[in-house]
Amino acid sequence: MRSRYVLPLLAAGVLVVGGCSDDGATTPSVQESRLLNLLPDHNTLRAQLRAVLEEQNGGLGFEMWATILDRNGKVVDVVFSGEQRGDQWPGSRVISAQKANTANAFSLDGFALSTANLFAAVQPGGSLFGLQESNPVDTRVAYAGPVSAYGTAHDPMIGKKIGGINVFGGGLALYSADGELLGGLGVSGDTSCSDHIISWKLRHSLNLDNVPAGPDADSNTDNIIYIEDTLDGFEHATCFDLEGQGNHIEIGNDLPEDFPVGPEE
């Protein structure tokens, strides 16, 4: 629920996906075209994000940014939930795009990794330490065009490759009802735990959550795994919640049951 308060491993081999935007307008790929056909229009996507925020998601209850990109790493849409662009953290626009890029870049047809699943492995001494430096954001794409267009149907990131790696909650791969990996979704604007929860619910509402498998042993999905004893494997740190926002640990753990993955029946 929204708040009025304001407060302040894997194996060593890693697939490196380029983030440069040296390609101009091209004919959409089959996967890109299919993703576009499955997505709602810009205003409907924004409305779906806003609907998720009316629920309890833990965290701060802040407004959010969401970015969707295709399997080739090209941004398809960017939306924000507030009435105005400044109602959510401005920096979270690019972070949401990073998260979408990361989830897409490190998920496969048979195995999904959320950005939350990468948190432990990139800590100092972890098996993927330094991963977050591997595919930098293309700043020409991130900060191009008029600021007034950010988060609109004409956001300058749309149609371009943003790149970037983000290694905390909020990024999820997108799978069609028949299991095809089509791209990634990134959400940012609250705590990283709540970002994951909101992203999960939004992906579910889009019916793009037919996840084949993932590191969460309890659900065999890409759900967040909160740290219990030591931070290793695919775990993620816990966060905090303002009064009235719900318990992010309980909400996060219950996501696979309350918002199950798989094609809509």
Side-chain angles (χ1 to χ4, degrees), residues 105-125:
F106 295 103
S107 292
L108 300 170
D109 288 336
F111 194 83
L113 279 175
S114 65
T115 54
N117 297 149
L118 296 172
F119 183 89
V122 302
Q123 302 306 312

Side-chain angles (χ1 to χ4, degrees), residues 8 15 43 54 56 133 135 155 210 218 221 225 227 236 248:
L15 173 66
N43 290 333
E54 294 301 326
Q56 285 196 325
E133 308 297 334
N135 294 273
D155 190 297
N210 194 23
D218 292 335
T221 70
I225 306 167
I227 182 174
H236 189 286
H248 73 277

Side-chain angles (χ1 to χ4, degrees), residues 53-250:
L53 295 183
E54 294 301 326
E55 304 171 7
Q56 285 196 325
N57 300 302
L60 305 169
F62 283 1
E63 303 289 356
M64 307 294 292
W65 290 89
T67 298
I68 292 176
L69 50 73
D70 66 25
R71 186 59 176 152
N72 294 321
K74 286 186 177 181
V75 175
V76 173
D77 208 348
V78 185
V79 298
F80 57 76
S81 63
E83 294 298 330
Q84 304 178 63
R85 188 179 62 257
D87 289 344
Q88 42 283 306
W89 290 330
S92 282
R93 169 177 169 268
V94 174
I95 293 174
S96 71
Q98 282 182 297
K99 291 180 181 182
N101 185 70
T102 306
N104 175 64
F106 295 103
S107 292
L108 300 170
D109 288 336
F111 194 83
L113 279 175
S114 65
T115 54
N117 297 149
L118 296 172
F119 183 89
V122 302
Q123 302 306 312
S127 64
L128 294 181
F129 177 63
L131 174 65
Q132 59 268 48
E133 308 297 334
S134 65
N135 294 273
V137 165
D138 188 335
T139 55
R140 297 170 300 173
V141 173
Y143 306 114
V147 174
S148 59
Y150 290 179
T152 72
H154 305 289
D155 190 297
M157 286 197 295
I158 294 174
K160 302 295 195 317
K161 295 179 181 178
I162 182 64
I165 298 296
N166 188 284
V167 291
F168 49 82
L172 296 169
L174 299 176
Y175 291 86
S176 66
D178 58 1
E180 183 180 3
L181 176 53
L182 295 177
L185 164 67
V187 167
S188 181
D190 208 294
T191 69
S192 55
C193 301
S194 293
D195 288 356
H196 173 85
I197 291 167
I198 294 164
S199 188
W200 184 284
K201 292 180 179 181
L202 181 58
R203 180 177 68 173
H204 182 76
S205 74
L206 295 170
N207 195 27
L208 290 173
D209 61 350
N210 194 23
V211 176
D216 179 24
D218 292 335
S219 65
N220 194 29
T221 70
D222 51 353
N223 193 27
I224 192 168
I225 306 167
Y226 295 115
I227 182 174
E228 293 184 359
D229 297 312
T230 59
L231 189 64
D232 56 18
F234 296 96
E235 293 180 325
H236 189 286
T238 57
C239 303
F240 55 91
D241 307 306
L242 288 183
E243 184 176 354
Q245 300 304 316
N247 184 307
H248 73 277
I249 297 177
E250 294 178 359

Side-chain angles (χ1 to χ4, degrees), residues 11-24:
V14 173
L15 173 66
V16 178
V17 178
C20 296
S21 59
D22 54 358
D23 53 325

